[in-house]
Amino acid sequence: MKRNGKLVWGVVLLVLMSVFPVNLAEADAGGGKKAVIMYSSENGKVEENQKVLDGMISRYTTDISYVEANSVEAEDLEEATHLFYYGKVEERLHEETVELFADFDGVKTIIGYNADQLSSQLDHVDTSLQEAVEGAYEADNEDNAVEFESQAMFPTDPSESAEILLYGTNESQENPLFFIEDDIYYYAAPNLDSMHAVMFAKEMSGIFNVEKEEGHPGYLRLEDVHPLADAEQVQEIADYLKSENIPYMIAVIPIYTDPETGREYRFSDNKKLTSVLQEMQDDGASIVLHGYTHQFRSSETGEGFEFWDVENNMPIYHGENEEVNPKTEEDFESPEEFEAYNQENLDYERAYIEDRIESGIDELAKYELYPLAFEAPHYTMSQNGYEVLSDYFSTYVGQVQMSDENWEIMRPIPTVGQPTYLHGMTLYPETMGYVQPDEPDAVDMMMKNAEEYQFTDGGVTSAFYHPYLGLDGLIEVVEGMKQIEGIEWIDLKETDSQVVTDKVEIRADGGEIDVNKDRIALYTSGFSYPLYFLNNTVEAMVRLIAIIGGLAVIIFFFYIFRNRSQANKS
Amino acid sequence: MADVLLYTSLFIIWLMLFYHMFLMHGGYLYSLKHKKLEKEWTDEPVELPTVSILIPAHNEDVVIEQTIQSMIALRYDKTKLEVIVINDNSSDNTGHIADLYAAKHPFVKVVHTKPPNIGKGKSGALNQGLKHATGEVVVVYDADNTPEPDAVYYLALGIAKDKKAGAVVGKFRVTNAKQNLLTRLINVETLTFQWLAQAGRWYWFKMTTIPGTNFAIRRSILQQLGGWDEKALSEDTELSFRVYNLGYYIRFFPSAVTWEQEPETLKVWWKQRTRWARGNEYVIFKYLFSPMKNRTVTFDLFYFLFTYILFFSGIILSHGIFVSNLIFDLELSIGPISIALLITGFLLFVTEALIALSMEKGQLTFKNTLVVVFMYFTYSQLWVALVAYATVLEIRRVVFKQEVKWYKTQRFKQNT
């Protein structure tokens, strides 16, 4: 009885332990804050601009919901603490919408068009005109300024009572760009692309009433490292980064497919590289899974798109050799049939992605390379894809494709967050770009980008680099990045990143990686690992043979000399 | 695929090299131990046994006289000694010379084999001699041997002191070592064999094999065993196994030294060694499938098996890969470690041979060191070919059920 009693308590404790962190995390998700994005957009759909906003808000709360402006109801705003109206297009707002906005007693923010309908005090915003903006500075600290390529903004003329936050400038004049009037934060531009997002993000801490954070999270990622990468070159880079003592990431592709022969190369085919990567992982690197083969159809690894059919500019709803003719609603007799067709496509895509992601994680884990995050090849992935991905990864690195219509729609988000469309994954955005081989001023351009993102407190400064370009270019990038004031190198091993498949569980834990793997299941899936293991063992034995043999030779020489000196004595 | 073959051959070869390393180590340690033992045993008086020396001789008139003279020069109580020369079907002067000495020295006897017991090879001759032997201990010398005066004393001492020793084996040295390059090579080979294989195995496993000459065996054992196996080409190895099966061991006692002639031409060498190799292969297969009482012997049998079948196959395979890799690219993954292995293997060979040479007075010379290096690339490689050849002959003999023919090593006139 006594033993049973103990057992019961043990089980209760275990259950509590496993339940509590989850609950705590959920309770913490919004920190009591709830944001609603109310929007007016071209066809009533959420598009990239709202998603950028979502991304920026998600730094402060992950409790974010969307509502189309003219279909908003009181219950949509229940318990909300922050209301964002994003007027991407001009639109007549319903009275009910205007009323609900006026009655909202939390923090209100308006971006772009239709502000005059929501507050008469904002009718000075002239949305019929667009002014060029080539720079900005903080109203209460003119030294805090930034310059950039010309963008568009609406000319504004806030009243005396308004609190100006940011001024937008061009050669001839300055214009209030972001200000508070009538207790409403207003941002005077319809697009949150590039610098607008950076400038908007700068005042987010005010909107959420938290202290401005200091410093700039930054990271460096080595890109497209696959099994045929040059081990010596990577070793050189590893040694350099180790000596610099900088944590960094390596985007690794587990399989290299030769476009000519179709032959697949794995890490078992390049043991030297494998051990270099293992060494890097031990030193300061975190592995980022960068697809499984980084190709679809017969393109080359590192070149191809893996999770997007770029030829048809659509998600992967079909096999690589199948004929593609996407259907629209008109092709179906009933909406239900169309719905069923869509679901079938999504299921197909899910199965495809699941297979590749699981294979990718497992394949790396076999060679003791433990990915802590994912980066989609060419950043391309459908919205459904990110959802599938979130079953496996808790961290995403790089840029995010924000539309299923066109892969090219990507918008950088200046800060770290957990956008809703990543389904719980933390996004470490990429902001500085990379060293383009043909661009002589590549690093200068990257540093200019970094400068822009530095305008925002907590603005991420991150870059990537292709190791095949050699060490010199990397040194230039690192030397540049070291100059970024307040850069805080992101170490994924210090985050709470985790990666889970049926066979492997990987958790970052205070600078270490905790791994749980079902070794038997993992190592027996396919022949490559057993062979690799055998090969490694054989090589280790051969080395041991050489060492023992060498020692024996030394001992034997000693015997010979002893015998000789004794013979000489007698 | 080439990788698999390469690693297979590599592991086989190095398993053997490690075993040899281990044996050489034992050989060295035994050389240290033996000096003390020799002193201990000679200082303490003991009743020495009566000894019958058997010398099988078939057309040996070139060397027989010198051999008989060295018997007369032996320092051993002649009342306890008989020398039996077995003149086996000689067509030369052997019998006559032996008879002359027998007439002068009462302890020298001659046995002329008579039909049908003639020309049955060494085993047959020894069995004929054994019938006339009266000593408690039988010592065997080949007709070309010149034992040192104390050789028989040490062999008999070993038997007298060690009750568990069914036989005692001495050491043999090469008379004509300086004759030519071949005999120099053989000289290195015999010394290395004795210190590595004989002394090494004796030190670790209390195990040696009878080398065919310069050994003493209790006559009671020979009688119990029914003498030598007349079908065996290498009757010595065969006899060794049977002695172990009776529960005795064979002691290595290198104080007993004999000097013998080694082949001076490659042709003679080739024939003689082919006989040895075939003989050993015969023994391997005779005993491989019959249970052995003594575990050490089983182990030794596997060692023989390993040497003759796997080791040489490994070397041939590795040679083959080496040569084909020079011609085609086999995409071997092994890398620079293979060079380290080649060099280490070579150095092991050299150092092991030099240790053996350094144990003998005046053998560790610059010239001999060069001979050892040369040996690795020539003489040792010749052995590979020889074992392959012998194996083919043995397989053919078994398949076609051929009769074995005993090849008697041709002797050379000594310029003494």
Side-chain angles (χ1 to χ4, degrees), chain A residues 85-100:
Chain A
Y85 171 72
Y86 196 137
K88 176 67 184 65
V89 293
E90 269 183 290
E91 176 175 54
R92 186 81 248 152
L93 295 175
H94 296 175
E95 240 169 72
E96 201 190 356
T97 305
V98 174
E99 257 169 50
L100 280 171

Side-chain angles (χ1 to χ4, degrees), chain B residues 210-224:
Chain B
I210 297 171
T213 184
N214 195 32
F215 69 93
I217 179 165
R218 294 178 197 275
R219 191 160 63 92
S220 56
I221 290 179
L222 274 178
Q223 273 162 350
Q224 198 180 337

